[in-house]
Amino acid sequence: MVAVIENYVGGVELASGGAGRLPVFNPARDTVISEMPDSSADIVARAVSAAKNAQKGWGKLPAIERAAVLRKISAKIRENVGRIARVISEEQGKVLSLAEVEAAFTADYLDYMAEWARRIEGEVISSDRAGETVFLLRQPIGVVAGILPWNFPFFLIARKLGPALVTGNTIVIKPSEETPNNAALFVELLSGLDIPPGVINFVYGSGRTTGAALSSHPDVGLISFTGSVGTGQRIMSAAAQNITKVNLELGGKAPAIILADADIPLAVKHLAASRTLNSGQLCNCPERIYVERKVADEVVAGLSAAMKATRYGDPLGDREIDMGPLINRAGLDKIRDLVDSAIRQGAEVVTGGKVADLGEGNYFEPTVLANCRQDSTIMHQEIFGPVIPVNIVDSLDEAIERANDSEYGLTSSIFTKSLSSAFRACNELRFGETYVNREHFEAMQGFHAGTRKSGIGGADGKHGLLEYTMTHVAYIQN
Ligand code: TXE
């Protein structure tokens, strides 16, 4: 008997009526572990209506009281980290230690967003008129739709819900159809916390049915989405019908530059680790490497050794592993096609290069590809897997020019001991983030936001919080 997930609307479980059901897989074992509804537009409308009704009271509460709710949730998460981690690993495939980090970080993130309660500030603007005061207020938008991906599914709940709730919005969350079980557990943890009904709602289903209904609903004030560019485009067109605000995080093709003066072992350690973390399924991790010719052989040899040493398999199995399976067959096929195309376009396989057959599950061998041409497909399309394509450059200028030659613009990095090269990279790389001499990973107090097709708006920190507010200017004449 597989677990059956139901929608959570207005504080209660809502049966999905005649909606179809979708199976949920364990990607390491190819087994069905649960099923969820493919919720109709009618269910979505009920969830939005519940959120809209609840927002009237929720938005009037002092922010510190809303923050107290976030803190209650984070405390509950901390009591259940082990259980949450197993659920994440089982349906998503990341190693248990990383799933534990994800669960604990989710609690920290909610606490961080709760801290903003006393710091949501408007402005007082000087007036042209005698006796007039002009206030710029920061107010809630209303109902937020959070449409989630599967790669950090539990954390992404908090990344949308934390800022939405503390600023006085209510939320309808649609988890990815690949990973609904952790969301169902999140709902279970809400029980007994006395959260006003309708403030938090979850609807489950496919993008085509449930996601499309949510993003085209006229009572949604903000759609906060993390996922692929194609889906971001569809969401934007749905939102355009109602002029709904969108906040889109659509992945990346992060360049990592290694200059000849860099600490090479440090660069190799961070880049290889980032590429195998979560099986390379991260928007922020290095997707292409530009290395100066003088150190290219040393870097390729180092990366190759690190990737070769990566142990992979079932995250809930008996063996100790560094990397789990890919999320699904489509992800695996995409990586295989990109690597094959790179080889046809002249790349040399230094290690890995093909699908790994473990009898079950979706695995791609940790791979290093040398001599990838800048105009090859793999240097431009998001791989989302444990594959490192390397390109040799002759100067920082050339590295920056090639790095900027991308449709994406989320994260980037540089490894160098020269302060001047590091500053040049920060000023000239056209990306939302640049990491210097460290791994690709953002902080909750930063601002995770891209340019070009990586998205619109961003998450985290003060700027991420303000995305969930609208301005309202009051002119008060004495
Ligand atoms: O993403 P989708 P997929 C990239 C990565 C990956 C590729 C495909 O390259 O290989 O995207 O992943 C919902 N209206 N990223 O197919 O389709 C869907 O149900 C409304 C980068 O899983 O974008 C799910 O909840 N919603 C990334 C969510 O969108 C719709 C993280 C994401 O699914 C919809 C994940 C529609 N028409 C993948 N269609 C990152 N930025 O980190 C689908 N959805």
Side-chain angles (χ1 to χ4, degrees), residues 232-370:
Q233 288 166 330
R234 279 185 282 281
I235 287 176
M236 253 182 114
S237 359
Q241 305 313 309
N242 302 306
I243 319 292
T244 304
K245 181 178 175 182
V246 290
N247 175 290
L248 307 173
E249 201 269 72
L250 307 180
K253 186 71 196 168
I257 298 172
I258 308 178
L259 296 184
D261 68 356
D263 178 336
I264 304 297
L266 179 94
V268 163
K269 182 181 95 179
H270 284 318
L271 296 175
S274 299
R275 227 32 282 191
T276 50
L277 193 79
N278 208 24
S279 311
Q281 302 167 120
L282 295 106
C283 58
N284 53 9
C285 276
E287 279 260 340
R288 52 199 168 114
I289 289 179
Y290 297 103
V291 56
E292 264 197 312
R293 192 174 297 280
K294 224 165 105 185
V295 291
D297 288 348
E298 186 185 347
V299 165
V300 168
L303 289 172
S304 169
M307 294 299 268
K308 220 181 235 158
T310 303
R311 301 160 300 174
Y312 49 90
D314 182 351
L316 299 180
D318 302 332
R319 281 190 316 123
E320 207 172 305
I321 52 155
D322 311 303
M323 188 179 95
L326 294 152
I327 188 71
N328 54 27
R329 187 75 214 181
L332 184 68
D333 289 347
K334 174 175 138 182
I335 296 164
R336 189 207 48 220
D337 290 351
L338 270 173
V339 169
D340 288 351
S341 79
I343 296 167
R344 280 196 307 277
Q345 290 168 340
E348 175 202 336
V349 178
V350 186
T351 189
K354 52 186 195 308
V355 170
D357 186 5
L358 300 192
E360 54 187 7
N362 309 303
Y363 299 90
F364 200 84
E365 293 176 349
T367 296
V368 177
L369 299 173

Side-chain angles (χ1 to χ4, degrees), residues 147-151 174-177 206-207 211-212 215 225-228 231 234-235 249-251 283 334 382 384:
I147 301 182
L148 310 185
W150 41 263
N151 56 346
K174 191 203 91 61
S176 166
E177 52 272 55
S206 65
S215 44
F225 168 70
T226 305
S228 64
T231 298
R234 279 185 282 281
I235 287 176
E249 201 269 72
L250 307 180
C283 58
K334 174 175 138 182
E382 192 174 38
F384 237 53

Side-chain angles (χ1 to χ4, degrees), residues 104 109 121 142 165 184 194 219 236 238 273 300 339 417 426 460 476 478:
Y109 195 90
E121 295 170 352
L165 261 52
D194 270 342
D219 286 341
M236 253 182 114
V300 168
V339 169
K417 288 189 185 134
C426 294
D460 313 334
I476 301 174
N478 286 340

